[in-house]
Amino acid sequence: MSNTPYPYKPPAKPVGKRPIPAFFGRLWRGALVGFAWPTTIAFVWLHNHLNVPKMFGGDLREFALRIWGVVWLTGVWLLLWGDLSWGNLIVGVLVAVLVMVLLPLPRVPVEGRLHPMAALWLLMTLVYNFFISSAQVAWAAIRPGPPPLGAVVRVHVAIKSDLVLTLAVDYLNLVPGTMVVEIDHLRRMLYIHVFDVRTQRQVDQFRKQVARVERDFIRAFERDSEWHPSPYHGIDDDYHHVPFAERERVRERSPKLRRRKEKR
Protein backbone atom coordinates (compact mmCIF):
# COMPACT_ATOMS: atom_id res chain seq x y z
CA MET A 1 0.00 0.00 0.00
CA SER A 2 1.32 3.44 -0.86
CA ASN A 3 2.20 5.85 1.93
CA THR A 4 0.76 8.80 0.03
CA PRO A 5 -2.90 9.51 0.79
CA TYR A 6 -3.69 10.04 -2.89
CA PRO A 7 -1.65 7.69 -5.08
CA TYR A 8 -0.86 8.77 -8.61
CA LYS A 9 -3.22 7.56 -11.32
CA PRO A 10 -2.43 8.04 -14.98
CA PRO A 11 -4.97 10.31 -16.70
CA ALA A 12 -7.46 8.63 -18.99
CA LYS A 13 -6.85 9.06 -22.68
CA PRO A 14 -9.56 11.10 -24.41
CA VAL A 15 -11.70 9.06 -26.73
CA GLY A 16 -12.38 10.88 -29.98
CA LYS A 17 -14.32 10.10 -33.10
CA ARG A 18 -13.24 7.44 -35.50
CA PRO A 19 -11.01 8.66 -38.37
CA ILE A 20 -13.60 8.52 -41.17
CA PRO A 21 -16.46 10.29 -39.28
CA ALA A 22 -13.94 12.83 -37.97
CA PHE A 23 -12.70 13.53 -41.53
CA PHE A 24 -16.20 14.08 -42.89
CA GLY A 25 -17.05 16.21 -39.87
CA ARG A 26 -14.06 18.49 -40.51
CA LEU A 27 -14.93 18.59 -44.21
CA TRP A 28 -18.52 19.58 -43.45
CA ARG A 29 -17.46 22.30 -40.98
CA GLY A 30 -14.88 23.65 -43.44
CA ALA A 31 -17.46 23.85 -46.22
CA LEU A 32 -19.91 25.52 -43.86
CA VAL A 33 -17.43 28.15 -42.69
CA GLY A 34 -15.75 28.72 -46.06
CA PHE A 35 -18.78 28.88 -48.34
CA ALA A 36 -22.15 28.75 -46.63
CA TRP A 37 -21.42 31.39 -44.00
CA PRO A 38 -20.20 34.13 -46.43
CA THR A 39 -23.10 33.29 -48.76
CA THR A 40 -25.56 33.65 -45.88
CA ILE A 41 -24.06 37.00 -44.85
CA ALA A 42 -24.33 38.28 -48.44
CA PHE A 43 -27.92 37.06 -48.70
CA VAL A 44 -28.91 38.73 -45.43
CA TRP A 45 -27.28 42.00 -46.53
CA LEU A 46 -29.12 41.95 -49.87
CA HIS A 47 -32.35 41.04 -48.09
CA ASN A 48 -32.05 44.08 -45.81
CA HIS A 49 -30.93 46.59 -48.48
CA LEU A 50 -32.72 45.42 -51.62
CA ASN A 51 -36.36 46.30 -52.19
CA VAL A 52 -38.12 43.64 -54.24
CA PRO A 53 -41.43 44.68 -55.88
CA LYS A 54 -44.55 42.93 -54.65
CA MET A 55 -45.22 41.51 -58.10
CA PHE A 56 -41.98 39.51 -57.69
CA GLY A 57 -42.84 38.32 -54.19
CA GLY A 58 -41.90 41.37 -52.13
CA ASP A 59 -39.08 39.38 -50.52
CA LEU A 60 -35.66 38.33 -51.74
CA ARG A 61 -36.14 34.75 -50.54
CA GLU A 62 -39.53 34.50 -52.25
CA PHE A 63 -38.03 35.98 -55.42
CA ALA A 64 -35.19 33.42 -55.38
CA LEU A 65 -37.70 30.59 -54.92
CA ARG A 66 -39.74 31.84 -57.88
CA ILE A 67 -36.66 32.09 -60.07
CA TRP A 68 -35.75 28.53 -59.12
CA GLY A 69 -39.30 27.40 -59.98
CA VAL A 70 -39.08 29.03 -63.41
CA VAL A 71 -35.69 27.40 -64.07
CA TRP A 72 -36.99 23.98 -62.96
CA LEU A 73 -40.16 24.15 -65.07
CA THR A 74 -38.16 25.35 -68.08
CA GLY A 75 -35.85 22.36 -67.71
CA VAL A 76 -38.85 20.03 -67.56
CA TRP A 77 -40.26 21.65 -70.73
CA LEU A 78 -36.97 21.12 -72.58
CA LEU A 79 -36.81 17.50 -71.44
CA LEU A 80 -40.36 16.90 -72.69
CA TRP A 81 -39.54 18.26 -76.12
CA GLY A 82 -36.13 16.59 -76.23
CA ASP A 83 -34.57 19.42 -78.23
CA LEU A 84 -32.50 22.32 -76.91
CA SER A 85 -33.22 25.32 -79.11
CA TRP A 86 -33.88 29.02 -78.63
CA GLY A 87 -37.52 28.57 -79.55
CA ASN A 88 -38.10 25.80 -77.00
CA LEU A 89 -36.15 27.75 -74.39
CA ILE A 90 -38.19 30.95 -74.83
CA VAL A 91 -41.51 29.10 -74.93
CA GLY A 92 -40.46 27.08 -71.87
CA VAL A 93 -39.72 30.25 -69.90
CA LEU A 94 -43.08 31.73 -70.89
CA VAL A 95 -44.95 28.57 -69.91
CA ALA A 96 -43.05 28.41 -66.59
CA VAL A 97 -43.93 32.04 -65.80
CA LEU A 98 -47.60 31.42 -66.61
CA VAL A 99 -47.64 28.33 -64.37
CA MET A 100 -46.01 30.21 -61.50
CA VAL A 101 -48.45 33.14 -61.82
CA LEU A 102 -51.73 31.35 -62.61
CA LEU A 103 -51.19 28.10 -60.68
CA PRO A 104 -49.14 28.98 -57.58
CA LEU A 105 -48.47 26.12 -55.21
CA PRO A 106 -48.81 26.50 -51.43
CA ARG A 107 -45.68 26.71 -49.35
CA VAL A 108 -44.26 23.44 -48.09
CA PRO A 109 -43.13 23.86 -44.46
CA VAL A 110 -39.58 22.72 -43.74
CA GLU A 111 -39.59 21.78 -40.07
CA GLY A 112 -36.64 19.49 -39.47
CA ARG A 113 -32.93 19.51 -40.11
CA LEU A 114 -30.94 17.69 -42.75
CA HIS A 115 -28.26 15.27 -41.54
CA PRO A 116 -25.94 14.62 -44.52
CA MET A 117 -24.50 11.29 -43.33
CA ALA A 118 -27.93 9.87 -42.46
CA ALA A 119 -29.28 11.10 -45.82
CA LEU A 120 -26.34 9.45 -47.60
CA TRP A 121 -27.08 6.19 -45.79
CA LEU A 122 -30.71 6.54 -46.85
CA LEU A 123 -29.64 6.92 -50.48
CA MET A 124 -27.38 3.86 -50.23
CA THR A 125 -30.22 1.76 -48.82
CA LEU A 126 -32.44 2.94 -51.68
CA VAL A 127 -29.91 1.74 -54.26
CA TYR A 128 -29.47 -1.56 -52.41
CA ASN A 129 -33.22 -2.19 -52.10
CA PHE A 130 -33.67 -1.22 -55.74
CA PHE A 131 -31.30 -3.95 -56.97
CA ILE A 132 -32.57 -6.57 -54.52
CA SER A 133 -36.22 -5.91 -55.36
CA SER A 134 -35.46 -5.87 -59.09
CA ALA A 135 -33.88 -9.32 -58.81
CA GLN A 136 -36.85 -10.62 -56.79
CA VAL A 137 -39.37 -9.28 -59.33
CA ALA A 138 -37.36 -10.72 -62.23
CA TRP A 139 -37.19 -14.14 -60.56
CA ALA A 140 -40.92 -14.10 -59.80
CA ALA A 141 -41.60 -13.37 -63.48
CA ILE A 142 -39.60 -16.34 -64.85
CA ARG A 143 -39.91 -18.98 -62.13
CA PRO A 144 -42.24 -21.92 -62.78
CA GLY A 145 -45.43 -22.23 -60.80
CA PRO A 146 -48.55 -20.18 -60.16
CA PRO A 147 -48.55 -16.43 -60.91
CA PRO A 148 -47.40 -14.05 -58.15
CA LEU A 149 -50.02 -13.00 -55.64
CA GLY A 150 -50.16 -9.32 -54.75
CA ALA A 151 -51.73 -7.67 -51.73
CA VAL A 152 -52.42 -4.20 -50.34
CA VAL A 153 -50.80 -3.76 -46.93
CA ARG A 154 -51.80 -0.97 -44.54
CA VAL A 155 -48.85 0.56 -42.69
CA HIS A 156 -48.88 3.30 -40.08
CA VAL A 157 -45.95 5.71 -40.02
CA ALA A 158 -44.91 8.28 -37.42
CA ILE A 159 -43.46 10.84 -39.83
CA LYS A 160 -44.59 14.35 -38.94
CA SER A 161 -43.59 16.53 -41.88
CA ASP A 162 -45.65 16.37 -45.06
CA LEU A 163 -42.50 16.97 -47.08
CA VAL A 164 -40.66 14.05 -45.46
CA LEU A 165 -43.77 11.87 -45.83
CA THR A 166 -43.80 12.67 -49.55
CA LEU A 167 -40.12 11.73 -49.83
CA ALA A 168 -40.80 8.44 -48.02
CA VAL A 169 -43.67 7.65 -50.40
CA ASP A 170 -41.39 8.41 -53.37
CA TYR A 171 -38.79 6.07 -51.85
CA LEU A 172 -41.33 3.23 -51.65
CA ASN A 173 -42.57 3.90 -55.18
CA LEU A 174 -39.06 3.81 -56.62
CA VAL A 175 -38.40 0.34 -55.22
CA PRO A 176 -39.67 -2.29 -57.70
CA GLY A 177 -42.53 -4.41 -56.39
CA THR A 178 -44.09 -1.75 -54.13
CA MET A 179 -46.51 1.05 -54.97
CA VAL A 180 -48.32 3.39 -52.58
CA VAL A 181 -51.91 3.44 -53.80
CA GLU A 182 -53.47 5.64 -51.10
CA ILE A 183 -52.37 7.97 -48.31
CA ASP A 184 -54.55 8.67 -45.27
CA HIS A 185 -53.16 12.06 -44.29
CA LEU A 186 -55.07 12.43 -41.04
CA ARG A 187 -54.18 9.03 -39.59
CA ARG A 188 -50.77 8.80 -41.26
CA MET A 189 -51.71 5.51 -42.92
CA LEU A 190 -50.11 4.23 -46.13
CA TYR A 191 -51.86 1.64 -48.28
CA ILE A 192 -49.10 -0.08 -50.23
CA HIS A 193 -49.52 -2.64 -53.00
CA VAL A 194 -46.86 -5.32 -52.56
CA PHE A 195 -45.80 -7.69 -55.32
CA ASP A 196 -45.75 -11.44 -54.60
CA VAL A 197 -46.97 -11.71 -51.01
CA ARG A 198 -48.27 -15.19 -50.18
CA THR A 199 -47.73 -15.76 -46.46
CA GLN A 200 -48.08 -13.80 -43.23
CA ARG A 201 -44.32 -14.08 -42.80
CA GLN A 202 -43.78 -12.11 -46.02
CA VAL A 203 -46.26 -9.48 -44.86
CA ASP A 204 -44.43 -9.14 -41.54
CA GLN A 205 -41.11 -8.90 -43.35
CA PHE A 206 -42.46 -6.10 -45.52
CA ARG A 207 -43.73 -4.23 -42.46
CA LYS A 208 -40.25 -4.46 -40.94
CA GLN A 209 -38.77 -3.07 -44.14
CA VAL A 210 -41.15 -0.09 -44.08
CA ALA A 211 -40.31 0.43 -40.39
CA ARG A 212 -36.61 0.65 -41.29
CA VAL A 213 -37.38 3.19 -44.02
CA GLU A 214 -39.49 5.19 -41.56
CA ARG A 215 -36.72 5.20 -38.96
CA ASP A 216 -34.06 6.20 -41.51
CA PHE A 217 -36.15 9.14 -42.76
CA ILE A 218 -36.72 10.37 -39.21
CA ARG A 219 -32.99 10.12 -38.47
CA ALA A 220 -32.12 11.98 -41.67
CA PHE A 221 -34.68 14.79 -41.59
CA GLU A 222 -36.79 15.19 -38.45
CA ARG A 223 -35.19 14.12 -35.20
CA ASP A 224 -37.29 15.07 -32.19
CA SER A 225 -34.44 16.97 -30.54
CA GLU A 226 -34.18 19.30 -33.56
CA TRP A 227 -37.83 19.61 -34.51
CA HIS A 228 -39.15 23.14 -35.03
CA PRO A 229 -42.81 23.53 -36.02
CA SER A 230 -43.39 25.73 -39.04
CA PRO A 231 -44.74 29.24 -38.37
CA TYR A 232 -47.32 28.60 -41.08
CA HIS A 233 -49.41 26.54 -38.68
CA GLY A 234 -47.69 26.81 -35.31
CA ILE A 235 -49.12 23.53 -34.05
CA ASP A 236 -47.09 20.40 -33.53
CA ASP A 237 -48.67 17.03 -32.76
CA ASP A 238 -52.28 18.19 -33.25
CA TYR A 239 -51.49 19.35 -36.77
CA HIS A 240 -49.34 16.43 -37.82
CA HIS A 241 -51.58 13.79 -36.22
CA VAL A 242 -48.57 11.97 -34.78
CA PRO A 243 -48.89 11.37 -31.02
CA PHE A 244 -45.78 11.34 -28.88
CA ALA A 245 -46.27 7.61 -28.20
CA GLU A 246 -45.82 6.85 -31.90
CA ARG A 247 -42.52 8.71 -31.99
CA GLU A 248 -41.42 6.75 -28.94
CA ARG A 249 -42.33 3.56 -30.81
CA VAL A 250 -39.91 4.48 -33.58
CA ARG A 251 -37.29 5.50 -31.05
CA GLU A 252 -37.62 2.18 -29.20
CA ARG A 253 -36.88 0.32 -32.43
CA SER A 254 -33.61 2.16 -32.94
CA PRO A 255 -30.70 -0.33 -32.86
CA LYS A 256 -28.48 2.16 -31.03
CA LEU A 257 -31.04 2.64 -28.25
CA ARG A 258 -31.58 -1.11 -28.04
CA ARG A 259 -27.84 -1.69 -27.55
CA ARG A 260 -27.76 0.95 -24.79
CA LYS A 261 -30.57 -0.79 -22.94
CA GLU A 262 -28.83 -4.14 -23.26
CA LYS A 263 -25.64 -2.68 -21.75
CA ARG A 264 -27.61 -1.40 -18.78
Side-chain angles (χ1 to χ4, degrees):
M1 179 179 297
S2 174
N3 294 326
T4 57
Y6 301 102
Y8 173 76
K9 294 182 179 180
K13 295 182 179 180
V15 179
K17 292 184 177 179
R18 289 173 294 180
I20 295 180
F23 169 77
F24 282 104
R26 289 193 297 268
L27 183 64
W28 170 252
R29 288 191 294 269
L32 182 64
V33 174
F35 174 76
W37 183 248
T39 304
T40 303
I41 293 177
F43 184 86
V44 171
W45 187 88
L46 289 174
H47 182 271
N48 294 331
H49 294 80
L50 186 64
N51 294 324
V52 180
K54 290 186 177 180
M55 62 178 300
F56 295 113
D59 182 81
L60 184 60
R61 179 179 180 273
E62 182 66 23
F63 177 70
L65 290 176
R66 293 188 180 186
I67 292 296
W68 166 248
V70 170
V71 172
W72 174 261
L73 292 175
T74 303
V76 173
W77 179 267
L78 294 175
L79 290 175
L80 290 174
W81 281 96
D83 182 23
L84 180 59
S85 62
W86 285 109
N88 286 338
L89 181 61
I90 294 173
V91 174
V93 172
L94 293 177
V95 172
V97 171
L98 288 176
V99 171
M100 295 291 293
V101 173
L102 299 179
L103 302 172
L105 295 175
R107 287 177 176 266
V108 178
V110 179
E111 301 167 303
R113 178 182 176 184
L114 173 64
H115 289 263
M117 298 303 297
L120 179 61
W121 172 257
L122 188 63
L123 180 61
M124 293 172 59
T125 58
L126 172 62
V127 175
Y128 173 78
N129 290 329
F130 179 83
F131 283 104
I132 295 298
S133 298
S134 299
Q136 292 174 348
V137 172
W139 170 245
I142 63 175
R143 71 184 180 190
L149 179 64
V152 175
V153 181
R154 184 180 66 181
V155 180
H156 181 264
V157 295
I159 296 176
K160 291 182 179 180
S161 172
D162 291 338
L163 177 60
V164 178
L165 180 62
T166 303
L167 294 176
V169 170
D170 292 338
Y171 181 108
L172 295 173
N173 288 337
L174 287 174
V175 175
T178 60
M179 177 64 65
V180 179
V181 296
E182 186 178 349
I183 303 174
D184 188 340
H185 175 76
L186 295 179
R187 296 189 297 168
R188 281 311 199 245
M189 291 287 186
L190 302 181
Y191 294 84
I192 309 172
H193 180 270
V194 188
F195 179 79
D196 194 19
V197 177
R198 297 178 178 274
T199 63
Q200 184 62 37
R201 178 176 174 274
Q202 291 176 317
V203 174
D204 295 338
Q205 187 66 27
F206 175 73
R207 291 182 182 275
K208 291 180 181 179
Q209 180 182 354
V210 176
R212 287 195 295 268
V213 173
E214 172 193 32
R215 185 173 63 248
D216 290 342
F217 267 94
I218 291 176
R219 288 181 61 249
F221 297 105
E222 53 173 46
R223 301 182 183 183
D224 289 333
S225 59
E226 300 166 349
W227 177 260
H228 299 285
S230 171
Y232 291 107
H233 50 75
I235 307 172
D236 197 3
D237 289 348
D238 293 337
Y239 175 83
H240 297 90
H241 311 285
V242 179
F244 179 74
E246 290 297 323
R247 301 287 290 193
E248 285 295 304
R249 171 182 60 82
V250 178
R251 185 171 177 269
E252 291 291 335
R253 285 203 307 259
S254 173
K256 184 181 295 186
L257 183 63
R258 194 181 304 117
R259 288 195 296 266
R260 289 179 181 175
K261 287 187 175 181
E262 290 176 356
K263 289 181 180 179
R264 292 177 183 176

